[in-house]
């Protein structure tokens, strides 16, 4: 997921119940999975509250197909449960993606708006060793293992 654990004394961890446990597990997750990735793709959100609307849209689409879905209140409750993690970890993820790359690895950062459209002029490639077209065009090049992060 690209999130890195925060220092255990980080103030944000005490502001939300359960975030300390999430933070501890992120260390294990990062140790296990980060090394398996050659590069990261980060989808950055200009406004993280867009997640509420996206989830509502998905639930309404399911209901329109006759499948069970959550009510607006249930969606708000559901999404609000993971928003504290976004508040805690997205700033560091975005900073890494815009700086030296996530974990120092090649990183493609694509900002998206509330309509899920790329934001022109904000896409960045960090630490890319060669052009994507060359990488994809060489049959002898081993497949890259990508970590996809939805920064929402």
């Amino acid at each position: 997921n690209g999130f890195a654990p925060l220092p255990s004394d980080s103030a944000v961890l005490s502001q939300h119940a359960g975030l300390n446990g999430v933070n501890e597990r992120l260390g294990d997750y990062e140790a296990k999975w980060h090394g398996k990735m050659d590069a990261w793709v980060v989808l950055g959100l200009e406004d993280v509250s867009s997640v509420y609307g996206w989830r509502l849209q998905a639930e309404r689409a399911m209901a329109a197909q006759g499948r069970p879905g959550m009510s607006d209140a249930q969606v708000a409750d559901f999404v609000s449960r993971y928003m504290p993690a976004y508040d805690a970890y997205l700033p560091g993820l975005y900073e890494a993606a815009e700086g030296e790359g996530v974990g120092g690895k090649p990183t493609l950062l694509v900002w998206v708006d509330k309509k899920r459209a790329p934001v022109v002029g904000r896409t960045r490639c960090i630490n890319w060793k060669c052009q994507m077209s060359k990488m994809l065009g060489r049959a002898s090049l081993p497949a890259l293992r990508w970590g996809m992060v939805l920064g929402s």
Side-chain angles (χ1 to χ4, degrees):
N1 74 14
F3 290 162
L6 298 172
S8 60
D9 61 349
S10 180
V12 72
L13 296 177
S14 63
Q15 295 172 359
H16 304 285
L19 209 46
N20 272 315
V22 169
N23 199 60
E24 290 172 13
R25 287 178 193 87
L26 272 177
D28 296 336
Y29 182 88
E30 184 181 45
K32 182 176 182 178
W33 292 103
H34 183 75
K36 296 178 187 249
M37 299 299 147
D38 296 314
W40 289 96
V41 175
V42 177
L43 300 178
L45 298 181
E46 289 193 306
D47 181 4
V48 73
S49 68
S50 298
V51 174
Y52 287 104
W54 295 345
R55 186 72 252 158
L56 278 172
Q57 183 183 37
E59 294 300 322
R60 290 176 181 160
M62 286 191 301
Q65 295 173 357
R67 298 179 6 213
M70 292 185 275
S71 69
D72 290 9
Q74 289 171 319
V75 167
D77 178 59
F78 173 73
V79 173
S80 69
R81 294 174 193 228
Y82 57 85
M83 291 303 278
Y86 289 163
D87 293 339
Y89 300 109
L90 281 178
L93 176 64
Y94 293 161
E95 183 179 332
E98 290 181 324
E100 296 297 317
V102 175
K105 294 191 176 196
T107 301
L108 173 63
L109 171 62
V110 179
W111 289 93
V112 296
D113 63 21
K114 67 181 179 179
K115 295 181 180 179
R116 299 183 182 111
V119 177
V120 176
R122 289 201 66 191
T123 298
R124 301 213 25 200
C125 293
I126 308 298
N127 292 336
W128 236 251
K129 303 281 189 229
C130 58
Q131 297 174 354
M132 288 300 293
S133 59
K134 289 181 184 176
M135 292 182 350
L136 296 174
R138 292 177 53 190
S140 62
L141 183 72
L144 285 177
R145 296 162 298 187
W146 285 86
M148 180 70 119
V149 178
L150 176 60
S152 60

